[in-house]
Amino acid sequence: MKTGQQWKQYFETKEFREQYEKKQPNLGILYTKEKTIFTIWTPTAKEVFLCFYPYGSEQEDREKKGKLPHYVPEKIEMVQGENGVFSYDIEGDCHGIYYDFFINVDGVVRQTADPYAIACGVNGSRSMVVDMERLNPVGWEVDGKDFDREEKTKCPFLYEVHVKDFSFDPNSSIEQAYAGKYMAFTKNGTTYQGQGKYTTCMDYLKELGVTHVHLLPTYDFGSVDEKGDNFQFNWGYDPVNYLIPEGSYATDPYDGGKRITEFKEMVMAFHKAGIGVVLDMVLNHTYSVDSWLNRTVPYYYYRQWEDGELCNGSACGNDTASERFMMAEYMKKVVLHWAKEYHIDGFRFDLMGLHDTKVMNEIREELDRLPNGEHILMYGEPWTASQTNMEQGFIQATKDNISELNSRIAIFCDNTRDSIKGHVFYEEEAGFVNGKEGMEDLIKKSVLGWCHRENGWKAKTPSQIISYVSAHDNLTLWDKLCRTMGHTDFTSQNEDILAMNRLAAAIVFTCQGAVFMQAGEEFARTKLGDENSYSSSPLINQLDWTRRVEYQELVEYYKGLYQIRRNFPMFSWRNIDPTSYITFHDNVEKNVVAYRIKNDTNIGYEELFIVYNGREDEVKLSLPEGRFVLLANGISSWLEKEHQIVEQEINVTKKSAYILGKES
Ligand code: CA
């Protein structure tokens, strides 16, 4: 039996690459009503057997024995083709049949589901043949026809939601059967406790004005038992079946078709609401190294150190090897499947720094070839959790290598995040809004979307930057502000912290780049200081819709900020060099940043004048020439309608942002 090191050396030989690393467009199943072709790539296998089952799990076999609708053949030996492929054709309509493989490599036989499966049984260990068309919900053929993807990507407002968090709280007034499920997104007209006053769920997202909802993992993951109760919780960064929706969010996880249909119902509901859908792709590691990929071709899909040990740059036990040809092909297949089959509008890549820039750029090109595909978003985390061992000649898609990435692949900008509110790993450390001195220069770079002219890392254009101060990882913005200010009661209101929160939001919404935030940031979401809630109770993780009512004024502030942003063309995402239209004022006090943005279009104000005051006292600033309309101050972002004119100078209250529009 070969060792890990021997496999690594074998996979990197010229002979292996030339013989086996070929494009294989039909891996998985090719379904028609007349026959289904099963194909699997396993160049290391001596023999491969295909097995069929009437049900999706062994438990169901036992419970439902004797009711088999089909004749079930025992292990069928698959036919070896060229380039490491095994295949088998089955006559007749196989829709609804479950299957897996037995693969003999080096004398060891491993049972495995199909890594290319597009449907599966409960908990995903048996793959399923499906006629995808038959599973489409009513109206799917016109899904997205009225959804203007191009318009939505002009000024993205990305809102990060976990499927269960969204509707788990009964105050959302989502019915019990749909609470925490895909189907919750299909409900319209929901209000807080059903009182008819404050919108919740989908109606709330419309009111807030988000352009895209970014869903935490929704592919089939392994950490939640789909047979178990709804009180289980996990973020889902533990992929099992990449091409299949997670079953615990479906109303019936046993019927492999249900999760597919309901997922599409959800996508359709988003598009009807004018909201795009972004999926979180965790292609950098698998739940366990004992994955379908590894059972199919041992070691091939995983990155190794020279001695054969598996890399662990993900800190999740393994790293996939994006630089290996068939892993890169697999990544493209996965992304394209969601884009084409589920009409997905964007992809977020977890630990993108573990992927190479070549594959990321190739995914971009593949998406661009789809109808309207150039408006499908791509962004990722430009870092790793630990070191990895990418093959020589490839470049990691990290922040330092951003210039190697297509200008329409964006990164989460941790510099902006940490400059505004303080470092995520040092809970007590503050940023510009909560009292740290000397942050002005970093805030200026954040404003420019890191397209500055100084030395050091920089983006090519603002379209490579995601500006944010909260995401699922680490403390919520509210909890972070409370922690740094020594405020130990996360649930009580606090005017000082609210002011800092508004200032943080105003900075994010006036930076170049795209705006991103964790759902509920706008109503002071708290997880009671839980900084890593990936497996905490849904009661900690859920969106608390009572806060959406209690913090309604903060919600309004965010809504107004986005309106200002959307109405001013220079915040749109495709601008080239922000230093050509942004000018900073040098003559200001410490902990104050002030600047003008000139508008080079005919739409909206001639220019904006923006001030961030991070100080504990009010400051007076002289304005450029002209008459300015006050659009936002530290309290309200809906001041435009009051048409309050400011000239020559302005007083900016402590811990606040002021936004003024110059009249033409
Ligand atoms: Ca699952």
Short mmCIF file of all heavy atoms in Angstrom, two decimals, residues 570-604:
data_model
loop_
_atom_site.label_atom_id
_atom_site.label_comp_id
_atom_site.label_asym_id
_atom_site.label_seq_id
_atom_site.Cartn_x
_atom_site.Cartn_y
_atom_site.Cartn_z
N MET A 570 -20.67 58.14 -7.04
CA MET A 570 -19.26 57.86 -6.77
C MET A 570 -19.05 56.76 -5.72
O MET A 570 -17.93 56.37 -5.43
CB MET A 570 -18.53 59.13 -6.35
CG MET A 570 -18.71 60.31 -7.31
SD MET A 570 -18.47 59.85 -9.04
CE MET A 570 -16.68 59.84 -9.12
N PHE A 571 -20.16 56.27 -5.16
CA PHE A 571 -20.05 55.11 -4.28
C PHE A 571 -20.31 53.81 -5.03
O PHE A 571 -20.28 52.74 -4.44
CB PHE A 571 -21.03 55.22 -3.11
CG PHE A 571 -20.68 56.28 -2.12
CD1 PHE A 571 -21.57 57.28 -1.79
CD2 PHE A 571 -19.44 56.28 -1.50
CE1 PHE A 571 -21.25 58.27 -0.87
CE2 PHE A 571 -19.10 57.26 -0.58
CZ PHE A 571 -20.01 58.25 -0.27
N SER A 572 -20.59 53.92 -6.33
CA SER A 572 -20.86 52.69 -7.07
C SER A 572 -19.55 51.91 -7.17
O SER A 572 -18.46 52.43 -6.95
CB SER A 572 -21.46 52.99 -8.43
OG SER A 572 -20.46 53.43 -9.30
N TRP A 573 -19.67 50.65 -7.53
CA TRP A 573 -18.61 49.70 -7.24
C TRP A 573 -17.50 49.62 -8.27
O TRP A 573 -16.50 48.99 -8.04
CB TRP A 573 -19.25 48.32 -7.06
CG TRP A 573 -18.53 47.50 -6.07
CD1 TRP A 573 -17.77 47.93 -5.03
CD2 TRP A 573 -18.50 46.09 -6.02
NE1 TRP A 573 -17.28 46.87 -4.32
CE2 TRP A 573 -17.72 45.72 -4.91
CE3 TRP A 573 -19.08 45.08 -6.80
CZ2 TRP A 573 -17.49 44.40 -4.55
CZ3 TRP A 573 -18.86 43.76 -6.43
CH2 TRP A 573 -18.07 43.43 -5.33
N ARG A 574 -17.68 50.27 -9.40
CA ARG A 574 -16.73 50.00 -10.48
C ARG A 574 -15.76 51.15 -10.74
O ARG A 574 -15.09 51.17 -11.74
CB ARG A 574 -17.50 49.70 -11.77
CG ARG A 574 -18.56 48.65 -11.59
CD ARG A 574 -18.02 47.25 -11.83
NE ARG A 574 -19.06 46.26 -11.61
CZ ARG A 574 -18.95 45.23 -10.77
NH1 ARG A 574 -17.84 45.05 -10.08
NH2 ARG A 574 -19.93 44.39 -10.62
N ASN A 575 -15.75 52.14 -9.87
CA ASN A 575 -14.86 53.28 -10.11
C ASN A 575 -13.40 52.86 -10.13
O ASN A 575 -13.02 51.90 -9.50
CB ASN A 575 -15.10 54.35 -9.05
CG ASN A 575 -16.49 54.94 -9.19
OD1 ASN A 575 -16.96 55.15 -10.29
ND2 ASN A 575 -17.15 55.14 -8.07
N ILE A 576 -12.62 53.60 -10.85
CA ILE A 576 -11.25 53.16 -11.08
C ILE A 576 -10.28 53.68 -10.01
O ILE A 576 -9.84 52.92 -9.17
CB ILE A 576 -10.78 53.55 -12.49
CG1 ILE A 576 -11.76 53.03 -13.54
CG2 ILE A 576 -9.38 53.00 -12.76
CD1 ILE A 576 -11.96 51.52 -13.57
N ASP A 577 -10.02 54.96 -10.00
CA ASP A 577 -9.01 55.48 -9.07
C ASP A 577 -9.63 56.53 -8.15
O ASP A 577 -9.77 57.68 -8.54
CB ASP A 577 -7.85 56.08 -9.87
CG ASP A 577 -6.81 56.69 -8.93
OD1 ASP A 577 -6.89 56.45 -7.71
OD2 ASP A 577 -5.92 57.41 -9.44
N PRO A 578 -9.99 56.16 -6.94
CA PRO A 578 -10.68 57.10 -6.05
C PRO A 578 -9.84 58.32 -5.68
O PRO A 578 -10.40 59.35 -5.30
CB PRO A 578 -10.98 56.28 -4.81
CG PRO A 578 -10.77 54.86 -5.18
CD PRO A 578 -9.80 54.85 -6.31
N THR A 579 -8.50 58.23 -5.83
CA THR A 579 -7.70 59.40 -5.46
C THR A 579 -7.94 60.54 -6.44
O THR A 579 -7.59 61.69 -6.16
CB THR A 579 -6.19 59.07 -5.44
OG1 THR A 579 -5.81 58.63 -6.74
CG2 THR A 579 -5.86 58.00 -4.42
N SER A 580 -8.57 60.24 -7.57
CA SER A 580 -8.85 61.31 -8.54
C SER A 580 -10.09 62.12 -8.17
O SER A 580 -10.29 63.21 -8.67
CB SER A 580 -9.01 60.73 -9.94
OG SER A 580 -10.18 59.93 -10.00
N TYR A 581 -10.93 61.60 -7.28
CA TYR A 581 -12.14 62.36 -6.94
C TYR A 581 -12.34 62.53 -5.43
O TYR A 581 -13.30 63.15 -5.00
CB TYR A 581 -13.39 61.75 -7.59
CG TYR A 581 -13.60 60.26 -7.37
CD1 TYR A 581 -14.26 59.80 -6.24
CD2 TYR A 581 -13.15 59.33 -8.31
CE1 TYR A 581 -14.45 58.44 -6.05
CE2 TYR A 581 -13.33 57.97 -8.12
CZ TYR A 581 -13.99 57.52 -7.00
OH TYR A 581 -14.17 56.19 -6.80
N ILE A 582 -11.42 61.99 -4.63
CA ILE A 582 -11.52 62.17 -3.17
C ILE A 582 -10.34 63.02 -2.69
O ILE A 582 -9.19 62.72 -3.01
CB ILE A 582 -11.53 60.82 -2.44
CG1 ILE A 582 -12.85 60.08 -2.73
CG2 ILE A 582 -11.34 60.99 -0.93
CD1 ILE A 582 -12.95 58.71 -2.12
N THR A 583 -10.65 64.08 -1.95
CA THR A 583 -9.60 64.94 -1.40
C THR A 583 -9.79 65.07 0.10
O THR A 583 -10.87 65.46 0.55
CB THR A 583 -9.67 66.35 -2.02
OG1 THR A 583 -9.84 66.22 -3.42
CG2 THR A 583 -8.41 67.14 -1.71
N PHE A 584 -8.75 64.76 0.84
CA PHE A 584 -8.84 64.86 2.30
C PHE A 584 -8.46 66.27 2.77
O PHE A 584 -7.63 66.92 2.16
CB PHE A 584 -7.92 63.83 2.96
CG PHE A 584 -8.40 62.43 2.76
CD1 PHE A 584 -7.86 61.63 1.76
CD2 PHE A 584 -9.42 61.91 3.55
CE1 PHE A 584 -8.32 60.33 1.55
CE2 PHE A 584 -9.89 60.62 3.34
CZ PHE A 584 -9.33 59.83 2.34
N HIS A 585 -9.08 66.71 3.85
CA HIS A 585 -8.72 67.97 4.48
C HIS A 585 -7.63 67.71 5.50
O HIS A 585 -7.80 66.88 6.37
CB HIS A 585 -9.94 68.57 5.20
CG HIS A 585 -10.78 69.38 4.28
ND1 HIS A 585 -11.29 70.59 4.63
CD2 HIS A 585 -11.17 69.14 3.01
CE1 HIS A 585 -11.99 71.06 3.61
NE2 HIS A 585 -11.94 70.21 2.63
N ASP A 586 -6.51 68.41 5.33
CA ASP A 586 -5.39 68.17 6.23
C ASP A 586 -5.53 68.92 7.54
O ASP A 586 -5.10 68.46 8.58
CB ASP A 586 -4.09 68.60 5.55
CG ASP A 586 -3.79 67.70 4.36
OD1 ASP A 586 -4.18 66.52 4.43
OD2 ASP A 586 -3.20 68.20 3.38
N ASN A 587 -6.17 70.07 7.45
CA ASN A 587 -6.16 70.97 8.59
C ASN A 587 -7.31 70.68 9.57
O ASN A 587 -8.21 71.47 9.76
CB ASN A 587 -6.27 72.42 8.06
CG ASN A 587 -5.91 73.40 9.15
OD1 ASN A 587 -5.30 73.03 10.15
ND2 ASN A 587 -6.31 74.65 8.95
N VAL A 588 -7.26 69.47 10.15
CA VAL A 588 -8.32 69.11 11.11
C VAL A 588 -7.68 68.60 12.40
O VAL A 588 -6.49 68.27 12.44
CB VAL A 588 -9.26 68.02 10.55
CG1 VAL A 588 -10.08 68.55 9.40
CG2 VAL A 588 -8.48 66.78 10.13
N GLU A 589 -8.49 68.53 13.44
CA GLU A 589 -7.96 68.08 14.73
C GLU A 589 -7.69 66.58 14.72
O GLU A 589 -8.13 65.87 13.83
CB GLU A 589 -8.97 68.43 15.83
CG GLU A 589 -9.10 69.93 16.03
CD GLU A 589 -9.96 70.26 17.23
OE1 GLU A 589 -9.60 69.80 18.33
OE2 GLU A 589 -10.96 70.97 17.06
N LYS A 590 -7.01 66.14 15.76
CA LYS A 590 -6.75 64.70 15.90
C LYS A 590 -8.07 63.93 16.02
O LYS A 590 -9.06 64.44 16.54
CB LYS A 590 -5.92 64.44 17.16
CG LYS A 590 -4.43 64.66 16.92
CD LYS A 590 -3.65 64.65 18.22
CE LYS A 590 -3.69 63.31 18.94
NZ LYS A 590 -2.86 63.33 20.16
N ASN A 591 -8.07 62.70 15.54
CA ASN A 591 -9.25 61.83 15.59
C ASN A 591 -10.43 62.38 14.78
O ASN A 591 -11.59 62.10 15.10
CB ASN A 591 -9.69 61.55 17.03
CG ASN A 591 -8.63 60.81 17.81
OD1 ASN A 591 -7.76 60.16 17.22
ND2 ASN A 591 -8.67 60.93 19.11
N VAL A 592 -10.08 63.16 13.79
CA VAL A 592 -11.12 63.64 12.87
C VAL A 592 -10.62 63.38 11.44
O VAL A 592 -9.44 63.57 11.15
CB VAL A 592 -11.37 65.16 13.05
CG1 VAL A 592 -12.36 65.68 12.00
CG2 VAL A 592 -11.88 65.44 14.46
N VAL A 593 -11.51 62.89 10.60
CA VAL A 593 -11.20 62.74 9.18
C VAL A 593 -12.28 63.49 8.40
O VAL A 593 -13.47 63.32 8.67
CB VAL A 593 -11.18 61.25 8.76
CG1 VAL A 593 -11.08 61.11 7.23
CG2 VAL A 593 -10.03 60.52 9.44
N ALA A 594 -11.85 64.36 7.46
CA ALA A 594 -12.80 65.11 6.66
C ALA A 594 -12.34 65.09 5.21
O ALA A 594 -11.15 65.14 4.93
CB ALA A 594 -12.89 66.56 7.16
N TYR A 595 -13.29 64.99 4.30
CA TYR A 595 -12.91 64.92 2.89
C TYR A 595 -14.07 65.29 1.98
O TYR A 595 -15.22 65.34 2.40
CB TYR A 595 -12.39 63.52 2.54
CG TYR A 595 -13.37 62.39 2.73
CD1 TYR A 595 -14.09 61.87 1.65
CD2 TYR A 595 -13.58 61.83 3.99
CE1 TYR A 595 -14.97 60.81 1.82
CE2 TYR A 595 -14.47 60.79 4.17
CZ TYR A 595 -15.16 60.28 3.09
OH TYR A 595 -16.05 59.24 3.26
N ARG A 596 -13.70 65.58 0.73
CA ARG A 596 -14.69 65.87 -0.32
C ARG A 596 -14.64 64.75 -1.34
O ARG A 596 -13.56 64.26 -1.68
CB ARG A 596 -14.31 67.16 -1.05
CG ARG A 596 -14.09 68.32 -0.16
CD ARG A 596 -13.21 69.36 -0.84
NE ARG A 596 -13.96 70.05 -1.91
CZ ARG A 596 -13.48 71.13 -2.53
NH1 ARG A 596 -12.30 71.63 -2.21
NH2 ARG A 596 -14.18 71.70 -3.47
N ILE A 597 -15.81 64.41 -1.85
CA ILE A 597 -15.88 63.50 -3.01
C ILE A 597 -16.52 64.25 -4.14
O ILE A 597 -17.70 64.64 -4.06
CB ILE A 597 -16.74 62.25 -2.73
CG1 ILE A 597 -16.25 61.48 -1.52
CG2 ILE A 597 -16.71 61.33 -3.94
CD1 ILE A 597 -16.93 60.15 -1.37
N LYS A 598 -15.77 64.47 -5.20
CA LYS A 598 -16.32 65.15 -6.37
C LYS A 598 -17.09 64.16 -7.22
O LYS A 598 -16.68 63.02 -7.40
CB LYS A 598 -15.17 65.71 -7.21
CG LYS A 598 -14.61 66.97 -6.67
CD LYS A 598 -14.12 67.86 -7.82
CE LYS A 598 -13.46 69.10 -7.26
NZ LYS A 598 -12.00 68.98 -7.27
N ASN A 599 -18.19 64.63 -7.76
CA ASN A 599 -19.03 63.78 -8.60
C ASN A 599 -18.72 64.08 -10.06
O ASN A 599 -18.89 65.21 -10.51
CB ASN A 599 -20.49 64.11 -8.28
CG ASN A 599 -21.46 63.18 -8.97
OD1 ASN A 599 -21.06 62.36 -9.80
ND2 ASN A 599 -22.73 63.29 -8.62
N ASP A 600 -18.25 63.09 -10.80
CA ASP A 600 -17.95 63.36 -12.21
C ASP A 600 -19.09 62.94 -13.13
O ASP A 600 -18.92 62.80 -14.33
CB ASP A 600 -16.61 62.74 -12.63
CG ASP A 600 -16.59 61.24 -12.46
OD1 ASP A 600 -17.67 60.64 -12.33
OD2 ASP A 600 -15.49 60.66 -12.49
N THR A 601 -20.27 62.72 -12.54
CA THR A 601 -21.45 62.46 -13.38
C THR A 601 -22.42 63.63 -13.22
O THR A 601 -22.19 64.54 -12.43
CB THR A 601 -22.17 61.17 -12.93
OG1 THR A 601 -22.91 61.44 -11.73
CG2 THR A 601 -21.19 60.04 -12.66
N ASN A 602 -23.53 63.56 -13.94
CA ASN A 602 -24.53 64.63 -13.85
C ASN A 602 -25.64 64.29 -12.86
O ASN A 602 -26.62 65.02 -12.75
CB ASN A 602 -25.17 64.87 -15.22
CG ASN A 602 -24.15 65.37 -16.20
OD1 ASN A 602 -23.27 66.16 -15.83
ND2 ASN A 602 -24.23 64.91 -17.43
N ILE A 603 -25.50 63.17 -12.19
CA ILE A 603 -26.57 62.71 -11.31
C ILE A 603 -26.21 63.02 -9.86
O ILE A 603 -25.11 62.72 -9.41
CB ILE A 603 -26.77 61.18 -11.47
CG1 ILE A 603 -27.01 60.85 -12.94
CG2 ILE A 603 -27.92 60.68 -10.60
CD1 ILE A 603 -26.67 59.41 -13.31
N GLY A 604 -27.16 63.67 -9.15
CA GLY A 604 -26.95 63.90 -7.72
C GLY A 604 -26.12 65.14 -7.43
O GLY A 604 -25.88 65.98 -8.30
#
